[in-house]
Amino acid sequence: MATTNGGSVNELKAPPELAYLDGTANGGQTSVPLTLEGIAALRTKAGKLIAGTAAYSDSDMFKSAHAYNQPKARRWDHILSPEAVARKPCALKKAATLLKKPGILSLGGGLPSSDNFPFESISMQVPHPPAFDQDAVEKSKRSATIGKHDIRDKDGVYDLATSLNYGQAVGSAQMLRWVTEHTELVSNPPYADWQCALTIGSTGALDSALRLFCDRARKDSILTEEYSFSTALETMAPLGIKIVGVRVDEQGLLPDNLDEILSSWDEGVRGAKKPTVLYTVPSGQNPSGATMGAARRQEVYNVCSKHDVYIFEDEPYYYMQMPPYDKNNSAAQPGAVDPSASQSPEEFLKSLIPTLLSIDVDGRVLRMDSFSKVVVPGSRIGWVTGSEQVIERFIRQSECTSQGPAGFSQAIMFKLLDETWGHEGYLRWLMNLRSEYTRRRDALLDACEKHLPKDVVSWTPPAAGMFHWLCVDYTRHPHAGTKTILEIEEEIFDSGIEHGVLACRGSWFRAERDLEPTGLFLRTTYAAASQADMDVAIQRLGQAIRANFEL
């Protein structure tokens, strides 16, 4: 073991040589799927995690024995981009792994001494499960604090001396352990060599993933929902990737249309190669709010397997799955009872629709998780999960670009998720968040039922996420025969602004901007506005639509 900047450095090795205080490995465990109790037992058996400044780590160090009782993933050499193939390991990051040698003194890496860090500690007041409301936080006065030298002075696992210095692009071992355990608990990928890597959020992760699998010079193309996350489209477009929209219904992507596009692909007509990548948001899709059921996810996966298409599974809203909307028993009404309030964390996990990662027998899914929608957007921290080959290439990309999430974010999130909440506490937080968003969704839907002209506007209540997609029957517009959909949409949008309400134009989310839209849509959100403000906003939107349609 070596010391540097006041903290221990011990390179972590893959099983069975885990770098824990008692030197135990995870090889002797009973091969059963990981549970909350299993995580605690795994950690107890392993002993204290030792990982100092720039310590190397990977998910193999933290997975249960059950994770290895699977075949290995397929390889993806045939679709990796030339850029991805060309990247070599960062020499300086690689050199940091040599600090594992006992007694070594480093004059190599330019890691500043933590003695010169102007932060002695960071303290935050956070809620403690199961009470997450503001009153409970203020009454408890409980704080979570992380100091500069907690590893050295307080027998801690993580501290500011470690987190605020340079680190590995995969992320800190402390946070990587947590996300690996969480991933196995939720998705339990059905192949052995899956790995996780921390990211700077899903937008940054998508940019890296696109560079791994797509190349302008090859005339690559990518599939996504016909109305897709606008920032994702804006990330793809400058890379010279042809974007192809797949039709959707209330459950998202239509497998038959996906298959039809791929089966009939003509490079000459399309001006691009047959797509090898699908980007999708399966739960609470942005902007449509659509959520794929379990059968739909399997059908989409099967089509991708048939045509050898790799899948980017972007899931910021996965845990915000909600019960069906019942206008006669709206969760937004005073005194409404949450029927899931007595659910256990285990029951909550079982209630979630299986992830694409959980059915990925090929290793053809790169799942993107994020804390932006379920903790705080400003953390700029998330993680990806995929096959060992893909994650290794992802890390090589990150080493020379983002270098991984900020140390402040990792320190704060570790203190919250690992040391304050733990896995069970985090699941209870997600359950609390689900109830909050169910109430918000129902408040917006109640307002829609009350104020929107149903002979012109229709909708499907969202089952997850934070967006509500309104379909406007443009054929009922008095000038439908002389004006385009985009012109009518602009009139409605401008009228809404005049009436004092902003609803996003559906055309902002079109995957194929060069094609005329086939429908007129508006995206609304229940993410932040109060119940009273949502009611007023929808009333104003209804007035704007009625005025525009001369109703």
Side-chain angles (χ1 to χ4, degrees):
M1 184 179 296
T3 59
T4 179
N5 303 334
S8 299
V9 174
N10 191 0
E11 184 199 12
L12 305 182
K13 305 286 285 185
E17 301 177 75
L18 296 182
Y20 290 93
L21 191 61
D22 66 357
T24 57
N26 65 356
Q29 304 165 56
T30 303
S31 181
V32 294
L34 192 64
T35 61
L36 287 170
E37 293 78 11
I39 291 172
L42 188 64
R43 289 195 179 194
T44 299
K45 179 177 175 60
K48 180 186 174 183
L49 171 64
I50 301 175
T53 303
Y56 167 80
S57 62
D58 64 45
S59 290
D60 279 341
M61 302 165 188
F62 311 119
K63 288 150 66 173
S64 74
H66 176 78
Y68 298 97
N69 292 342
Q70 310 283 354
K72 286 193 172 184
R74 284 186 52 188
R75 291 191 61 84
W76 304 100
D77 306 80
H78 60 295
I79 58 173
L80 288 175
S81 70
E83 177 185 349
V85 173
R87 289 195 178 274
K88 305 297 182 185
C90 175
L92 294 177
K93 300 287 187 187
K94 191 175 180 180
T97 66
L98 300 175
L99 293 171
K100 67 178 181 178
K101 184 177 180 180
I104 193 170
L105 299 174
S106 175
L107 297 177
L111 282 67
S113 169
S114 60
D115 292 341
N116 295 323
F117 294 175
F119 298 94
E120 293 300 319
S121 67
I122 295 176
S123 183
M124 50 192 177
Q125 198 170 345
V126 297
H128 287 66
F132 293 110
D133 60 278
Q134 190 64 37
D135 288 343
V137 174
E138 293 176 357
K139 289 178 181 178
S140 72
K141 303 297 183 183
R142 295 170 66 183
S143 297
T145 301
I146 184 167
K148 182 186 285 188
H149 294 302
D150 286 353
I151 294 177
R152 184 190 68 188
D153 300 338
K154 298 184 178 180
D155 197 33
V157 173
Y158 202 31
D159 59 19
L160 297 181
T162 302
S163 64
L164 300 187
N165 217 315
Y166 288 111
Q168 297 291 335
V170 69
S172 66
Q174 292 84 353
M175 274 304 298
L176 185 63
R177 175 176 66 172
W178 192 93
V179 302
T180 298
E181 293 167 343
H182 180 80
T183 297
E184 187 174 351
L185 184 68
V186 174
S187 292
N188 191 20
Y191 61 94
D193 54 334
W194 59 272
Q195 295 281 333
C196 298
L198 297 187
T199 69
I200 56 172
S202 290
T203 301
L206 175 61
D207 181 72
S208 293
L210 290 168
R211 293 176 181 276
L212 289 183
F213 285 95
C214 301
D215 182 65
R216 181 196 306 262
R218 294 191 310 202
K219 295 187 176 181
D220 283 343
S221 59
I222 187 169
L223 297 153
T224 187
E225 289 88 353
E226 61 180 330
Y227 289 88
S228 189
F229 177 37
S230 57
T231 303
L233 299 174
E234 291 156 358
T235 303
M236 298 169 190
L239 298 177
I241 308 165
K242 182 175 180 59
I243 304 169
V244 182
V246 180
R247 290 203 300 271
V248 299
D249 64 5
E250 68 279 357
Q251 282 198 55
L253 289 168
L254 286 168
D256 288 346
N257 185 237
L258 179 63
D259 187 41
E260 179 186 356
I261 291 171
L262 291 165
S263 297
S264 62
W265 190 268
D266 186 322
E267 289 190 19
V269 174
R270 293 278 192 170
K273 287 175 57 179
K274 181 179 176 179
T276 54
V277 174
L278 166 68
Y279 168 77
T280 183
V281 179
S283 307
Q285 196 260 350
N286 183 1
S288 71
T291 296
M292 294 189 205
R296 177 66 60 86
R297 294 182 196 223
Q298 187 65 62
E299 290 170 351
V300 168
Y301 184 87
N302 291 345
V303 173
C304 289
S305 181
K306 172 184 174 182
H307 293 279
D308 202 20
V309 170
Y310 195 88
I311 303 170
F312 297 163
E313 179 188 19
D314 189 2
E315 279 285 35
Y317 315 105
Y318 177 72
Y319 298 100
M320 296 159 65
Q321 297 179 33
M322 297 172 279
Y325 171 68
D326 180 355
K327 66 180 180 181
N328 296 319
N329 294 284
S330 169
Q333 299 306 312
V337 177
D338 181 3
S340 63
S342 61
Q343 237 182 9
S344 69
E346 291 83 1
E347 290 170 333
F348 170 67
L349 285 176
K350 290 179 181 178
S351 73
L352 298 174
I353 301 168
T355 66
L356 285 170
L357 180 64
S358 72
I359 61 173
D360 181 22
V361 294
D362 294 335
R364 70 171 62 252
V365 172
L366 181 70
R367 179 179 167 91
M368 304 172 193
D369 278 284
S370 173
F371 294 115
S372 292
K373 299 300 190 293
V374 294
V375 184
V376 287
S379 68
R380 303 321 306 146
I381 184 170
W383 74 97
V384 290
T385 307
S387 68
E388 182 177 34
Q389 179 195 20
V390 171
I391 297 301
E392 187 273 335
R393 291 290 89 192
F394 189 96
I395 294 169
R396 298 290 83 80
Q397 168 89 4
S398 298
E399 285 175 342
C400 299
T401 53
S402 70
Q403 296 199 41
F408 284 108
S409 296
Q410 295 194 64
I412 290 171
M413 294 302 288
F414 171 80
K415 201 69 186 179
L416 176 69
L417 298 173
D418 194 294
E419 292 198 345
T420 303
W421 286 355
H423 288 283
E424 181 175 342
Y426 179 62
L427 293 176
R428 291 193 180 280
W429 167 257
L430 295 174
M431 294 163 66
N432 172 74
L433 207 62
R434 175 189 58 186
S435 297
E436 171 65 14
Y437 274 95
T438 299
R439 183 185 63 78
R440 287 181 168 278
R441 178 205 62 180
D442 286 9
L444 187 71
L445 290 171
D446 290 347
C448 290
E449 291 283 344
K450 189 193 311 182
H451 299 302
L452 294 184
K454 293 184 181 180
D455 52 340
V456 171
V457 186
S458 60
W459 59 87
T460 297
M466 53 177 58
F467 300 111
H468 182 39
W469 191 236
L470 300 174
C471 177
V472 181
D473 185 358
Y474 66 93
T475 65
R476 302 290 300 275
H477 192 275
H479 304 296
T482 58
K483 292 187 176 182
T484 67
I485 292 175
L486 291 177
E487 288 172 333
I488 297 173
E489 180 195 63
E490 184 175 15
E491 285 186 5
I492 296 172
F493 177 80
D494 291 342
S495 180
I497 297 299
E498 291 174 4
H499 281 79
V501 61
L502 172 64
C504 291
R505 296 173 61 172
S507 62
W508 293 348
F509 305 92
R510 283 186 300 154
E512 298 182 76
R513 303 291 175 88
D514 55 335
L515 300 181
E516 192 70 20
T518 56
L520 198 163
F521 303 94
L522 298 171
R523 192 199 75 172
T524 61
T525 178
Y526 41 89
S530 68
Q531 185 168 339
D533 283 350
M534 280 191 272
D535 186 76
V536 172
I538 293 297
Q539 183 179 30
R540 291 175 179 176
L541 182 61
Q543 292 169 348
I545 293 173
R546 286 187 173 89
N548 197 261
F549 277 71
E550 300 178 6
L551 297 176

